[in-house]
Amino acid sequence: MEISELKDHARNIRINILKEVANAKSGHPGGSLGAADLITELFFEVMDLNVDNASSKDRDRFVLSKGHTSPMLYAALAEKGIIPEEELMTFRRLNSRLQGHPNMNYVPGVDMSTGSLGQGLAAADGMAIANKLAGNDHRIYVLCGDGECEEGEIWEAAMAAAHYKSDNLCAIIDVNGLQIDGRTQDVIGPEPLDVKFEAFGWHVVNIDGHDFNQMRVAFKEASETKGRPTAIIAHTIKGKGVSFMENEAGWHGKAPNAEQLAAALKELEAE
């Protein structure tokens, strides 16, 4: 796929993220906007997920460990045609399938119900082990946040994945340097994440999480790495694409009002 096409998909995903959160008057736009390029690369170039196999286990699978960025996941599923785009406007409504954290029991293409931070990597590791035992060659991808890496379960799962030589597992660590309470380095400070994952026995690649060429190279390298899992340390900008949201921790979990939504959409549509 041409880079321009990927950028178009990412822009559409960002537009729908904002519409979802604004319509619901709640949600998490900052991290969703920041990781939109990563999920675009995964869904449109790396994974074999499509509308026909979305409810099947016999395909590559994706775990959104930072489940509060569900607006991004739903927008990506709509962009792939797996769920109707108009359904995005039911985000967080009573009886909607699209709640604040994704539920695998109701939404096709959602491979794990997530929300409690730190659990997604362990679940993905279990999927990777299960695929190995079943002789299933499909790969498992999991997106974690840098603030989430303050959770102890992340490192238990990292240790287990290396122990079981889960080379069919790829973790993408979304490093934007911010979490709900401010800068990660001021809260607990999980850095240096690359050195830590290497120490736990992982193959590590550092990339700019908004550069599609770097993403292509990193995911190819991950698929070719044998005997150990891969961690892609993706440096991103929280709120990417909307100037007044970028690098602002206050937009972690705040919905834009009508005026802010109009300004944000104008920026994105002008790209």
Side-chain angles (χ1 to χ4, degrees):
M1 185 173 287
E2 295 292 331
I3 298 294
S4 60
E5 293 178 86
L6 291 169
K7 288 182 177 180
D8 284 343
H9 286 306
R11 182 180 65 250
N12 292 341
I13 288 169
R14 287 189 169 97
I15 287 170
N16 277 327
I17 287 167
L18 292 167
K19 288 180 176 178
E20 287 175 77
V21 175
N23 188 66
K25 295 182 172 57
S26 66
H28 296 79
S32 296
L33 293 168
D37 295 322
L38 291 166
I39 202 169
T40 298
E41 176 64 19
L42 273 171
F43 276 27
F44 287 90
E45 285 211 315
V46 176
M47 296 175 60
D48 62 352
L49 172 67
N50 57 59
V51 68
D52 295 320
N53 67 12
S55 297
S56 171
K57 294 180 181 177
D58 191 26
R59 57 166 173 80
D60 296 333
R61 281 180 276 173
F62 173 70
V63 176
L64 181 64
S65 191
K66 42 186 286 180
H68 57 278
T69 58
S70 62
M72 172 195 67
L73 177 56
Y74 301 145
L77 290 171
E79 189 72 6
K80 286 283 291 187
I82 293 170
I83 62 173
E85 186 171 353
E86 56 268 23
E87 189 177 3
L88 297 177
M89 293 303 99
T90 71
F91 176 60
R92 284 195 168 204
R93 285 187 185 174
L94 188 65
N95 299 320
S96 170
R97 297 190 299 174
L98 310 183
Q99 290 302 319
H101 294 90
N103 191 322
M104 64 189 290
N105 297 300
Y106 302 119
V107 186
V110 172
D111 294 317
M112 188 66 203
S113 302
T114 55
S116 296
L117 292 174
Q119 296 181 353
L121 184 56
D125 192 24
M127 293 177 187
I129 293 170
N131 273 11
K132 288 257 188 180
L133 292 172
N136 186 329
D137 291 332
H138 285 103
R139 296 179 58 75
I140 311 298
Y141 297 91
V142 54
L143 180 65
C144 304
D146 51 353
E148 182 183 10
C149 289
E150 296 163 9
E151 299 282 352
E153 189 174 354
I154 289 287
W155 301 106
E156 293 179 65
M159 212 170 7
H163 174 79
Y164 289 108
K165 301 182 182 351
S166 299
D167 50 16
N168 55 343
L169 173 65
C170 178
I172 306 100
I173 313 301
D174 179 13
V175 181
N176 58 41
L178 296 170
Q179 57 192 100
I180 192 168
D181 291 326
R183 297 189 303 167
T184 54
Q185 68 183 46
D186 295 333
V187 179
I188 288 184
E191 298 286 2
L193 287 166
D194 51 356
V195 175
K196 287 177 180 175
F197 272 96
E198 285 175 351
F200 274 73
W202 288 55
H203 175 65
V204 175
V205 186
N206 279 282
I207 65 166
D208 176 345
H210 303 302
D211 187 318
F212 285 104
N213 285 314
Q214 290 188 31
M215 284 185 261
R216 283 175 170 172
V217 171
F219 284 117
K220 184 175 186 294
E221 188 172 324
S223 68
E224 294 173 350
T225 296
K226 303 303 177 186
R228 52 181 176 161
T230 294
I232 296 175
I233 310 299
H235 300 273
T236 66
I237 297 171
K238 199 178 187 95
K240 175 69 173 176
V242 180
S243 59
F244 60 87
M245 292 185 179
E246 290 187 354
N247 286 319
E248 293 289 341
W251 286 104
H252 175 89
K254 181 175 72 172
N257 60 31
E259 182 180 352
Q260 291 165 331
L261 174 63
L265 294 179
K266 185 178 179 180
E267 273 194 56
L268 288 168
E269 289 165 353
E271 286 185 6

